[in-house]
Amino acid sequence: MKPIDQTIDIFDRQYLDKGLSAQRRYPNESLIQFLASGYFSLALSDRKSVRLLEVGCGSGANLWMMAKEGFSTHGMDSSAKGLDLARQHLGEKWGVTADLRQGSFTELPYENDYFDAVVDVVSLQHCNLKDSRLAMSEIARVLKPGGACFSYRLSDASVMYQSSGGNWIDAVTVDNIADSTMPLCNSGPTSFWSPGLARAIYREIGLDLLSIERQGRTYENGAKHVEYLAITAAKPS
């Protein structure tokens, strides 16, 4: 089974087993900061023309916030069950809708130059290096010139990078965090990027890197450190 198909299978089973409890229900704080810096200053009447896409939207924890804020909100995920949960979550709890589509990170089901911003929160980190390059190329393709992208993903400063218990697919991607004592275990293929790798890939894809922020948290009363990279970039105008 290809790594990307393995990831889809794992998350499908989590959605079937746990429903909305499979993922968080409230938006990522760094994503809110990204949107606040570039879009929240717009009048509500202007936001409806701003198209935002979340790749790997899952059950909609970020989507409902974007829709509530009045943006033209789109979500793409590989899991049909995850999208069903997103429709339920957005409609029944928050009274909003979004354009939801099933698809692949490596072949986004959208036309060229369509979105004002594309965002990812801990979804693209489940792609290996080969698929990551394809996914980032697709994000660049669907972004409007001057459009922005945001990604929040695990860094190589995380404890699991040193002790995953899994087998390495490539230099930065493990087939699974198999050690059950580690945070975020048993989520299938997981990659850990350094800032240097992010700079190289974004440059290769043709996106202008604007910022990389390290954001850490600890587990087990500080015994285990997990770090994320909050990456912001733009498509050249």
Side-chain angles (χ1 to χ4, degrees), residues 16-59:
L16 287 169
D17 292 345
K18 300 179 182 179
L20 286 173
S21 298
Q23 291 189 334
R24 70 192 188 284
R25 300 193 187 191
Y26 292 89
N28 176 268
E29 291 182 2
S30 294
L31 172 62
I32 294 173
Q33 292 171 357
F34 164 75
L35 294 172
S37 66
Y39 303 95
F40 284 176
S41 60
L42 295 173
L44 288 175
S45 59
D46 294 330
R47 294 183 185 185
K48 66 179 73 173
S49 64
V50 176
R51 297 190 187 118
L52 305 181
L53 168 67
E54 181 181 14
V55 293
C57 64
S59 52

Side-chain angles (χ1 to χ4, degrees), residues 103-140:
S104 170
F105 293 147
T106 60
E107 194 172 351
L108 296 178
Y110 306 100
E111 63 189 71
N112 296 350
D113 305 330
Y114 190 72
F115 292 103
D116 295 279
V118 178
V119 303
D120 149 59
V121 177
V122 299
S123 291
L124 293 181
Q125 69 183 25
H126 294 292
C127 294
N128 62 16
L129 277 174
K130 177 183 177 181
D131 289 335
S132 289
R133 287 183 167 91
L134 292 172
M136 293 305 302
S137 294
E138 280 292 275
I139 288 173

